[in-house]
Amino acid sequence: MTALRIAVGFKVTPDYEALRPADWARAATGPSAHGEAVRYVRRVFNVFDEAALELALRLRDARTERGLETSLVAFSVAGREADPFLATLQALGYEGARVEPDADLDFAPATTAALVAAATRHLGGEVLLLGSRCGPGDTGLVPFLAAEALGRPSLPGVTAVEPAADRLRVTFSAGDQPLRATIAPPCVLAVGNALVSLLRVPTLKDRLATRDRVVTTLTPADLGVDVPAALSREPSALVGLETIDRSRAGVVVAGASPAEEARALYEEHLHARLERI
Amino acid sequence: MAGETPRIALVLDATGAAAERHAQALGGFLRDGLRFSPEHPADAVTHLFYAEESARERLLALAPTRLVRLVRAPPHRPDLMAAALAAFAAGGGAELFVFGGPLGAESAARLAARSGGGVLTGVLDAVAAAGALSCRRHVSSHHLIGRFELRARPWCVTLDAGWLDAGFEPPAEHVVQASTELREDDSSAPRLCDDVEVFEPPATSDLEAAQFLVVAGRGAGGRAGVERIATAADRMGAAFGVTRPVVMNAWAAPDRQIGVSGTRAAPAVCIVAGSSGAPAFLWGVERAGFIVAVDTDEHSAMAGEADAVVLDDAVTVLEALADIVARERL
Ligand SMILES: Cc1cc2nc3c(=O)[nH]c(=O)nc-3n(C[C@H](O)[C@H](O)[C@H](O)COP(=O)(O)OP(=O)(O)OC[C@H]3O[C@@H](n4cnc5c(N)ncnc54)[C@H](O)[C@@H]3O)c2cc1C
Ligand SMILES: Nc1ncnc2c1ncn2[C@@H]1O[C@H](COP(=O)(O)O)[C@@H](O)[C@H]1O
C-alpha cells in the first residue's frame, strides 16, 4: 500500500452555544420542534469532525514528506448548509462530496451510518475518519455502525495518526486508557479529544484556485440506500425532549472592590464550608 | 414476546482499564436505573470478558450479579465480543444487554447491527413496559434530555458516565454458569492491529477526589491569567481544573480538563472563575455541594448555575481570596 485514500465524514451542526435558554425550551416542545428551534443558528463544524479533518491533512503532509501518495475526500450527509464548509475543504486540498438525504436524519444513527458506509464505498477511502460523536443525537454510534456495515475494524478516541512506513501509527483511547498501535487499513477511526482541534485556514490563493470546483452531489439512490426502509429499522426512536433545570440560588456577593468581594465571599459563604473539609 | 419479562445480561468488558468502576456502574444501574412494568425480572447474568487468566479470580469478584458467564477474549476485539453475544441472544439467552467498559459502545453497536436489535448509548435510566424499552439520555451537547424507545430486541444499551459513581457492592459469592474462550479466527472482521501498547498509565486524577476545587475558564484571559489562578488555588489548598478552551489554547495541560470530555468532579466547594457554564462543562461540576461563580457578565449562564456569584475579574478576585484563605486557614 503506497497510495492511500482517506475519507472524512463530517457534519455541520448549529452552534449550540449561540442558543439561549428560551430557544432550548422551545426546542424541547417536541422532536420536530428541535429542528425548527435551531434552524437559524449559525453553523459550525462538529468539534470532533473539525479535528478529524485537520488530522487527515497533517497525515497527508507527513506522508507527502516521505514521498507517499495520499488523496483526501471529505463528505457530509447534509443539505446545502454544508456547501460553504465543503468549499473551504476543497481549498485545503480535499475532494468534496455531499449526500443529499431526503429526510431528517438528526436522530437516525443507523440510516446515517448506512449512507456514510455507502458513500465511503462509492468515493473510496481505505481509511475512514469520523468524529467520536455529534449533535444533536450525540450517540457516537455512527462510526461503529459504519464500520460494521463496511466489515472493517475500528478504533475509538483517536487523538493522533502518523505514517509508519506504509502503515499508520494511531494514538487512541479506550475508556480513559491511552493506547498506541500500528494499523493496516482498511479501517474506521473515530476521532476523540485530539489536541489538534482547529482546522487550518485556506489561503486566498487556494480559495480562488478552487472556486469553480464543483462538489459532487449524490443521492441515497446513487448509493443504493433506501432511506425510508432504513428509517423504519432505526434501532431507537426519539419520542420526546426535556429541558434540564440546572439553576441554583445565584446570590450576588456585594463589595466595592475585588478585595471586599473576596472578603464577603469568604465570610458569608466559604469560611464554614471550608472548615468542614 | 411482548409483555414477557426480558432476561437481562450485563456485559462487563474487563479486558481494558477500570473494570471495577464499570462493574459498579452496571450494578448501580441494575439496582437504581432500570424499572420494569409490571413484573420484575428474574436473575440477571453478567458476561464477564477478560484477557488474562491470572486476573480471572480478581475480576470475577467484581461481577455485579451472582450469576456469571466468563469469557476469555483477546483484548481490543469488540467484534469478537459482539459475535459471541449475538449467538447468546439468538439462543434466547437475553433480550436486554447492558454494556459497561471501554469497548461497550462498539460491542453494543455491532451486536445490535448483527442481531437486528435496538441500540442506545449513554442511558440515564430505562423503563421496560409494553414491549418497549424507554430510555432517557443527554442530547444536544447536554443541553436537553431526550426520551427514546427501543422496540426490536435484543435491546443493547450503554450507560451515562454518571453511573460510574453509582457505588455498588458486588455479591459476596458468584456462580459461574459457563466459562468459554474466544479465538481470533472466530471473527468476521479482519484483525486491525496486534501491537497495541499502553504508553501511559490510565488518566487518574486528583480532580475526581478533590473536596475543594478551583476551575479557570476562558475568562482568565490567557496563559498568565490561568497560571495566576492555578497559583491562587494552590495557596488555598484547592485542586485546579480548567475548561476545554483553556486546554485547546494550551494554557493548561489536558489532564486538567473538567467536563464531559474531561473529568467529573464532586467537591464540597467549587469556585468557577471565568467560565460561561456550558452544559458540557457544567456536567463536570454539577455534583458540587456549593458552587461559586466569578464572572464579569451577570447574564452568563454560570451565574444562574451557581449558589453564589461574584461579578468581577476572575484573576483579581481569586488572588484576593487566596490572600484571605491562606492567612486564615493554613
Ligand atoms: C462534544 C463537546 C464536548 C465538550 N466537552 C467539554 C468539556 O469537557 N469541558 C468543557 O469545559 N467544555 C467542553 N465543551 C465546550 C463547552 O461547550 C464550552 O464551549 C466551554 O465549556 C466554554 O468554556 P469557557 O466557559 O471557559 O469559555 P466561554 O464560554 O468563552 O466563557 C468565558 C466566560 O468568562 C467570562 N469572562 C470574560 N472575561 C472575564 C474576566 N475578566 N473575569 C471573569 N470572567 C470573565 C465571560 O463573561 C464568560 O462567561 C464541549 C463541547 C462539545 C461540543
Ligand atoms: N450527517 C452526517 N454526515 C457525515 N458524517 C456524519 C453525519 N452524522 C454523523 N457523522 C459522523 O459520525 C460521527 C459520530 O456521530 P454520531 O454517531 O451521530 O454521534 C460524527 O462525528 C461524524 O464524523
Side-chain angles (χ1 to χ4, degrees), chain A residues 137-139 148 242 246 261, chain B residues 114 121 137 141-142 145 312:
Chain A
D138 289 331
T139 65
E148 183 72 15
E242 305 166 12
R246 299 186 168 96
E261 289 163 335
Chain B
R114 288 172 193 200
T121 51
R137 62 185 304 281
S141 291
H142 280 239
I145 286 174
D312 217 321

Side-chain angles (χ1 to χ4, degrees), chain A residues 149-176:
Chain A
L150 290 164
R152 294 185 184 183
S154 80
L155 289 178
V158 170
T159 55
V161 190
E162 291 137 340
D166 62 353
R167 301 168 122 216
L168 299 173
R169 191 103 176 111
V170 181
T171 309
F172 64 107
S173 139
D176 284 335

